[in-house]
Amino acid sequence: VYRNPENHPVVHVSHKDAAEYCKWVGKRLPGEWEWEAAARAGHYGPSNRTLYAWGDDDEDWELASKHANLWGPGAFPHENDALDGYRATSPVKHYPPNALGFYDMTGNVWEWQRGGKHKARIVRGGSFVDSLNGTVNHAATLGARATIHATTTTANVGFRCAKAPKRRTEYHYVYHDEELHGQLAVEDQFGKRDTIPQMGWEDQHVWDEEEEELDDDALLKLEQTRKKKKVVKKRERYSNEL
C-alpha cells in the first residue's frame, strides 16, 4: 500500500467516467493531436523527432528510469525489481517534466483520449507495465498508442483533463473595390447583411511598374471605389480543435 495515494494517478476508471469527471470540473479529455503536441514539446516534424522526451536511446534503461515509470529489464510479469522506485504507479510529479512542463507523458498509466469508438477508445503514453523498447508489452515511446474498449477499467489506465484558452477574435482591414465586387455588405444589430460581396476579391489587383502615374482626379476616383473592409483574421487551430 502506498503512502499518500492521492498523489498517484486515478486508475480503474472507464472512458465515460473520465469524460464525465472532466466535464464536471469544467474541462475535457484531451484530443489525440493535442496530447501528442504536448508530449513532444517541440520535438515534431520530419527533421525533429525523438523517441522519448529525454532522447533516442531505446537501450539505456538507467537513463530512462530517471525520467519515466516503466517496466525494467526483468522478465514480465514476475521480475519487477522496481529499479525506478515503484512496482506500480508513481506519484504524478515524481519524475521531471518535459520542456513544456507536462508530467508523465511517457509511462506510469495509459491516458484516455477524446474520440474513437465505443469498442475502440484511444489511449496514449504507455504505462508501468510497458517497456522502453517493446520487449515487454508496448514500447513506451512518445508515439505509443493503443485502443481498448470504453468500459475497460484497469490499474494501468488513467486520464488527465485539458482546457484550451478562450479565443479572441482578431480583425484586419483589406481593400474592397465596389465597382468590381459590388457594395460592401452592411450588417445590422441583428447580424443581417443587406448585401454580400463576391468571394475571392482579395489581392486581385496587380500593380504594373510601367503604369503611368495617376492624376489627382484618377486618385480621387480610386479612393472612392476602393474602400477598406474589416474582416476576421485567419486563425490557427487551438488545442481543443485538434
Side-chain angles (χ1 to χ4, degrees), residues 33 36-51 56 142:
W33 290 5
E36 185 155 344
R40 292 193 177 279
H43 296 288
Y44 45 79
S47 60
N48 189 21
R49 284 188 176 272
T50 58
L51 288 175
D56 287 316
L142 292 175

Side-chain angles (χ1 to χ4, degrees), residues 73-113:
F76 184 82
H78 302 296
E79 296 181 16
N80 185 354
D81 297 327
L83 297 180
D84 55 2
Y86 296 91
R87 295 184 181 277
T89 60
S90 57
V92 171
K93 294 185 178 181
H94 176 74
Y95 296 95
N98 66 10
L100 293 182
F102 292 102
Y103 292 88
D104 291 339
M105 299 303 285
T106 297
N108 212 6
V109 296
W110 289 98
E111 298 179 14
W112 290 114
Q113 306 292 300

Side-chain angles (χ1 to χ4, degrees), residues 8-14 89 108-110 128 153-159:
H8 288 246
V10 174
V11 293
H12 291 290
V13 58
S14 68
T89 60
N108 212 6
V109 296
W110 289 98
F128 62 85
T153 59
T154 67
N156 68 326
V157 175
F159 69 100

